[in-house]
Amino acid sequence: MEFVIITGMSGAGKTSALHVLEDIGYYCVDNIPASLLPMLYTLCSKSGDENMKRVAVVVDVRGTENYKNMNVAIEQFKSAHKDVKILFFDAKPDVIIIRYKETRRKHPLADRLKSGSVAEAVDFEKALLVSCKRLADYTIDTTYMSNKQLRERVMNLFMEDTSQALTLTFMSFGFKYGIPLEADMIIDVRCLPNPFYIPALKPLTGLDQEVRDYVLGSSETQEFVLRTLNLLDYAVPLYLKEGKSELVVGVGCTGGKHRSVTVARELNQHFQKLDYKCVIQHRDVWK
């Protein structure tokens, strides 16, 4: 059985992720108290309905007023079942505040605080979820993500064969838009030859062959990619040995359009050939 607990910051995308998992065949439950997780797990595991063998639930601050017990219940439940994974959603506080203002919805913790402000509720929730975030098998930061990118990320994580223990996610990005907070490793490729200064290549991206040929055509890039792959070839099995479920490798250049996209594709292709479960995402390529 597959059992996915979706949790994290309110306004960071948990409900959207649940809808994606429902679309790809998971039996989904929103806003279930953590104390009921063992009961639901037992019911689903004993059910003869194959549709209940892939389960996704959202557990967050809406379902309880005893937040400490919520974190403890999730930790105990996860330690008792090897087939339980935790998907944690996060985003920068200022972005979450803007989202609440745009939707004119009330933060679930606002009424429980004296000021009732969204900013205070967001800070309070972030502190509450520190221990829960440490338990996560997958962490997705949606600060700079569109709904389409969120959907693609979740589908890539859970549509493929989940028997593979480690998912390698290669994410190209632009430093000027901020470092992806969910990245476990950051590879800075701003030292490589930049197609931005070639008039014919400037409007293109690393998804175009002309840019790819230019970036990979330099001896500097070839040596850089080789040394990066040597590092990853050594490190990835160590992460796997430590039981990590997802390793997010951020590859950044200035704008996230040319060099980072090209190098991220090279790294992804290398590990695909080694039969790793790989996901590639170009966060800023169309900005």
Side-chain angles (χ1 to χ4, degrees):
M1 190 167 78
E2 298 173 38
F3 199 102
V4 181
I5 298 175
I6 302 172
T7 190
M9 296 292 292
S10 301
K14 300 189 301 294
T15 301
S16 297
L18 190 71
H19 292 162
V20 175
L21 291 176
E22 187 174 27
D23 289 344
I24 62 177
Y26 280 75
Y27 174 73
C28 295
V29 181
D30 191 13
N31 190 21
I32 182 174
S35 59
L36 296 182
L37 287 172
M39 182 183 298
L40 178 63
Y41 182 93
T42 299
L43 290 172
C44 293
S45 62
K46 291 183 177 180
S47 173
D49 188 349
E50 288 300 316
N51 293 323
M52 297 185 71
K53 300 305 180 185
R54 302 176 77 202
V55 183
V57 299
V58 173
V59 180
D60 56 28
V61 296
R62 294 172 298 166
T64 182
E65 292 189 3
N66 193 324
Y67 311 115
K68 184 177 181 180
N69 284 355
M70 180 189 78
N71 290 328
V72 172
I74 291 175
E75 182 175 5
Q76 291 178 343
F77 177 72
K78 186 177 189 299
S79 63
H81 303 285
K82 293 183 179 180
D83 51 6
V84 171
K85 300 293 183 183
I86 297 178
L87 173 60
F88 190 95
F89 279 86
D90 203 354
K92 287 186 176 180
D94 56 338
V95 172
I96 292 177
I97 292 170
I98 291 172
R99 289 173 182 174
Y100 271 101
K101 288 182 178 180
E102 289 177 344
T103 60
R104 298 184 179 181
R105 296 190 65 209
K106 185 180 291 187
H107 192 283
L109 294 178
D111 288 339
R112 306 181 196 181
L113 302 173
K114 288 183 179 180
S115 69
S117 72
V118 174
E120 185 182 355
V122 170
D123 289 340
F124 182 56
E125 184 179 31
K126 199 168 191 69
L128 289 174
L129 295 175
V130 169
S131 61
C132 193
K133 185 176 182 179
R134 291 179 184 145
L135 296 172
D137 298 282
Y138 310 101
T139 299
I140 297 179
D141 187 289
T142 62
T143 300
Y144 302 104
M145 274 189 179
S146 65
N147 288 331
K148 181 176 181 291
Q149 288 174 323
L150 186 154
R151 181 177 181 84
E152 289 175 349
R153 180 75 182 279
V154 174
M155 289 181 71
N156 283 329
L157 284 175
F158 294 100
M159 275 193 72
E160 298 179 9
D161 181 11
T162 56
S163 64
Q164 293 173 271
L166 178 68
T167 298
L168 291 173
T169 297
F170 297 100
M171 180 185 297
S172 70
F173 70 94
F175 276 96
K176 71 177 183 179
Y177 299 113
I179 294 174
L181 299 182
E182 68 265 49
D184 298 292
M185 301 176 66
I186 295 293
I187 309 296
D188 186 348
V189 299
R190 288 176 293 183
C191 59
L192 302 180
N194 193 352
F196 180 84
Y197 297 107
I198 309 298
L201 301 179
K202 181 178 178 180
L204 304 179
T205 73
L207 300 174
D208 296 299
Q209 191 61 42
E210 298 93 328
V211 171
R212 185 177 175 85
D213 290 343
Y214 176 84
V215 174
L216 296 177
S218 73
S219 58
E220 295 92 339
T221 302
Q222 291 292 330
E223 183 68 20
F224 186 95
V225 170
L226 178 61
R227 294 186 180 222
T228 301
L229 287 174
N230 286 338
L231 169 63
L232 291 173
D233 283 339
Y234 177 77
V236 168
L238 298 180
Y239 283 107
L240 184 59
K241 184 179 178 180
E242 287 298 310
K244 194 166 181 62
S245 297
E246 181 188 28
L247 181 69
V248 180
V249 180
V251 183
C253 62
T254 304
K257 293 179 178 291
H258 300 108
R259 294 167 291 179
S260 61
V261 174
T262 300
V263 174
R265 291 178 68 191
E266 284 294 292
L267 303 182
N268 181 68
Q269 288 178 6
H270 172 80
F271 282 96
Q272 278 187 329
K273 291 177 182 177
L274 297 177
D275 292 328
Y276 280 91
K277 180 182 177 184
C278 296
V279 175
I280 190 164
Q281 181 180 353
H282 303 301
R283 193 190 72 181
D284 302 322
V285 70
W286 303 120
K287 291 182 180 177

